[in-house]
Amino acid sequence: MWLSTIAVLVCASLSNALSCNLSSDLLKEIRSYQGTVDQIINATTQGLFKGKTYDELAYFVDKFGARQAGSQVLEDSIDYLLDLMQSTGYDLDNVHGENVTIPHWIRGTQTCEMLSPRKANIPVLTLGGSVSTLANGFEAEAIVVKDFDELDRVSDKVKGKIVVYNNEYITYGVSVAYRSKGPSKAAKYGAIATLIRSVTPFSLNTLHTGQTAYEDSIPKIAAASITREHANMFQRMQDRGDKIVLKLNIQTQNLDPVTSRNVVAEIKGSRDPEKVVLVSGHIDSWDVGVGAMDDGGGAFISWYALRVLKALGLKPKRTLRSVLWTAEEPGLIGVQAYGQAHKDELDKHIFVMESDEGVFTPLGIEYVAGDEGGCILEEILKLLTPIDATQAKLVEFAGSDITIWRNILPTANLLSRNENYFWYHHSEADTMDVLDTAALDKATALWASVAYILADLNKDFPRQVPKLNIVLPSVLHV
Amino acid sequence: MWLSTIAVLVCASLSNALSCNLSSDLLKEIRSYQGTVDQIINATTQGLFKGKTYDELAYFVDKFGARQAGSQVLEDSIDYLLDLMQSTGYDLDNVHGENVTIPHWIRGTQTCEMLSPRKANIPVLTLGGSVSTLANGFEAEAIVVKDFDELDRVSDKVKGKIVVYNNEYITYGVSVAYRSKGPSKAAKYGAIATLIRSVTPFSLNTLHTGQTAYEDSIPKIAAASITREHANMFQRMQDRGDKIVLKLNIQTQNLDPVTSRNVVAEIKGSRDPEKVVLVSGHIDSWDVGVGAMDDGGGAFISWYALRVLKALGLKPKRTLRSVLWTAEEPGLIGVQAYGQAHKDELDKHIFVMESDEGVFTPLGIEYVAGDEGGCILEEILKLLTPIDATQAKLVEFAGSDITIWRNILPTANLLSRNENYFWYHHSEADTMDVLDTAALDKATALWASVAYILADLNKDFPRQVPKLNIVLPSVLHV
């Protein structure tokens, strides 16, 4: 996940108290899917596919490891999936890659040595997109600020220094601003580099990376994360009046853009094949950890749902399309290319789903849709009672990549028990250990059930979406 | 803390149901200390010393960082404390260091590259005391076992391989056996190195070190920890039939032993100065993290308790002695030297306390003492009601260093809410962030109160200790 959890921040005030008045025919139609949903749930949680989503994902991440945008490993992993999806026994329709030109940024040297008040190695993890320091780094004094307000107050002391943001974690949506905007805000006052306290509510001396976003009109300065523990140490040192001197060396490279691919697979619709219900996750990851959680889980339930439906012989009226977006992490690149390539068909995209907040025990879905749509989703989710995943929750944004369509078509996000998502996010701790085989089975069942019913209902899902009361953040690239 | 939590393992069946019959005079005497205890609690939690234990410790660890046995930093930190304890305003009595010859083991290169089934860097952290691999490491196949039983079952496949212990964490006392005994058990079957899953109940890809213990009669092989996540990955690979090939390079040095010091400070007794109540923690740490928790907190409450008593003008009848043990981590070296140097006075050691399981919100004490002693401790702990730390819990072992005296005199350990101690233990995550200023204040109050009363009661604390129903583990060096 990139920045989408800003949704968590802004949706708190939304009310879910829908006054539903669906026709009895529609209610009857939705309820008629209970047998199909039970069949899907049985297949994934007890039958042939029990444990398979986890096993497929574990094999995949063990085989490829991290899949950073621009890397050959990402492309190899895409080739592997394209082969797998159309192999005997999987037999998905129309499996293909759709070319996307993506950036190719790589991290190089990343070292920080504290020279004063004592000598110590300070682990740093360069932020995605960061520029380099001087070729051999530089020595400079550090100044610690707790937030942007404090930065403004001490702006006359920033010039020539390394700004350390010791921003307390509040929510991801609030705190990620230091990672995205911190470098340019500090550079505006003459800072020569920035170190950002890792954006996480919990740390075992854990470094978290993620994309930074420079303002065009301001000099670009190197940016790396430090651990919460070291940020607090610097804070204590400064509070005591100690002078903090660091030698920081950050080297990065922006190589030539490369061609990557969004991975597409389908179950062709039986009645309206040109109409699409899309389920998605992203296939790229950061270069730390192995991207099992972000977003291996989301990507795998999104194609494995189709594999389960196919094996059960369930063919909906509309086309069910699974898309695994490439290059989400550097800024929703894959989805934007898809939007361009398919711009003439977007009006045939009936409903778009994404899972990119980790796949933990599923609770239901978060959605952006109008009242009637909300009522339909609530009815559909009731069918998931056997796995206790019945919530349908209206939010301002759903998903990460798919937020680019937030204002034009209905979207939804997997809602799961992901309280600790940001403990692992964009860190070396994003591994298979975060995931649970039973949770993945249930999520595949939920994903398959909801997508299938939406693709199979007699009438198209209502297209209207609620007006957004806030300005879309520019960092969302929409 | 080194290995003492074996106590946690073996003490579960102990009953605390004492039938107490203390004399009314003794009860009255103990209860007469309520005012003193209140005074101590007020001073540390609201008055002059509020927040001071934390601040002193934070300054200390920020100034020195890790204090590994054998390092110059440890000696510098000892010099600093000796100076501080006798400086104006602190004024502790008889402040001095007592020389101890300690080992000087240091870690060097520690790299592990997976060559098959794919190339990847595997982070490793050498175990304390480990020998080196060949000068440039070696390539070898790995074999994963879940426990010693499985090792025995596959013993004919171990020769020439690297044994990976993927031991599930049960309790520290149980699971640490893989760290201490695993290398020799694998070497017995011809293994050429061992990688041990870090001994922890929770991981963010976190490495944990700690001392290993070779058997004399078996060839010594290099030993390092890997993360729980990588141990599980190796397990999955082996279960799939993948051949795992690693290039492991571990370099360590056993340098000449050095002279370190146990740090001693006192409040001289007014009536029986030759009699001693001892409070302690250890001053050395591992070389990862900064030893704020293990055992900075225990060491600092153990001398700061005396500083508070001194400032309050509280001078007990017997001598109160604070000892900060050196070189606990490589095997309780400092305390054993003290035992030798003071062997003729041990019969004057009335009661010995240690905190080495982290200083979290205190609940009371764990003790090894006879029934009458237990009853006295229960009465004393009732006085700690204002900070809700009234538990007196009989255990088989108390403390870490001081377990060497478990059979000859009464001992006690700080009991605190330390559920997550082993998340941080012996890792880079052992920093000030683990500690809480209010918890340290309460622990100092508890420590000072109990030690003061035991040193001041008219009659000596009863000397008998319960017979131990199990054989003392040889790894405890007793």
Side-chain angles (χ1 to χ4, degrees), chain A residues 15-22 27 30-31 351 365 367 369-385 389-394 450 454 461:
Chain A
S15 165
N16 244 16
L18 291 175
S19 168
C20 291
N21 193 21
L22 300 180
L27 286 174
I30 293 172
R31 288 168 191 165
F351 198 88
I365 62 164
Y367 68 87
D371 285 357
E372 191 193 355
C375 290
I376 291 171
L377 292 170
E378 282 189 1
E379 258 336 287
I380 292 173
L381 268 297
K382 286 178 187 168
L383 306 177
L384 277 300
T385 300
T390 58
Q391 296 181 40
K393 193 173 156 193
L394 177 65
V450 173
L454 290 171
F461 190 85

Side-chain angles (χ1 to χ4, degrees), chain A residues 62 118 232 236 240 433, chain B residues 62 118 232 236 240 433:
Chain A
D62 288 347
R118 73 173 153 91
N232 283 332
R236 289 192 300 272
R240 289 184 198 116
D433 282 46
Chain B
D62 288 347
R118 73 172 154 92
N232 283 333
R236 289 192 300 272
R240 288 185 199 116
D433 282 44

Side-chain angles (χ1 to χ4, degrees), chain B residues 207-224:
Chain B
L207 290 162
H208 296 252
T209 189
Q211 191 73 6
T212 193
Y214 293 114
E215 284 183 50
D216 286 338
S217 58
I218 295 171
K220 294 177 179 173
I221 60 174

Side-chain angles (χ1 to χ4, degrees), chain A residues 58-59 61-63 65 118 202 204-206 229 232-233 236-237 240 423-424 428-429 431-433, chain B residues 58-59 61-63 65 118 202 204-206 229 232-233 236-237 240 423-424 428-429 431-433:
Chain A
Y59 182 80
V61 300
D62 288 347
K63 183 174 179 70
R118 73 173 153 91
F202 179 76
L204 291 177
N205 210 47
T206 315
E229 289 87 340
N232 283 332
M233 181 189 75
R236 289 192 300 272
M237 288 172 168
R240 289 184 198 116
W423 292 25
Y424 308 101
E428 291 287 0
T431 69
M432 284 310 293
D433 282 46
Chain B
Y59 182 80
V61 299
D62 288 347
K63 184 174 178 68
R118 73 172 154 92
F202 179 76
L204 292 177
N205 211 45
T206 315
E229 289 87 339
N232 283 333
M233 181 188 75
R236 289 192 300 272
M237 289 171 167
R240 288 185 199 116
W423 293 24
Y424 308 101
E428 291 287 359
T431 70
M432 284 311 292
D433 282 44

Side-chain angles (χ1 to χ4, degrees), chain B residues 435-449:
Chain B
L435 300 174
D436 172 73
T437 184
L440 280 168
D441 286 342
K442 287 181 189 171
T444 296
L446 169 71
W447 224 221
S449 298

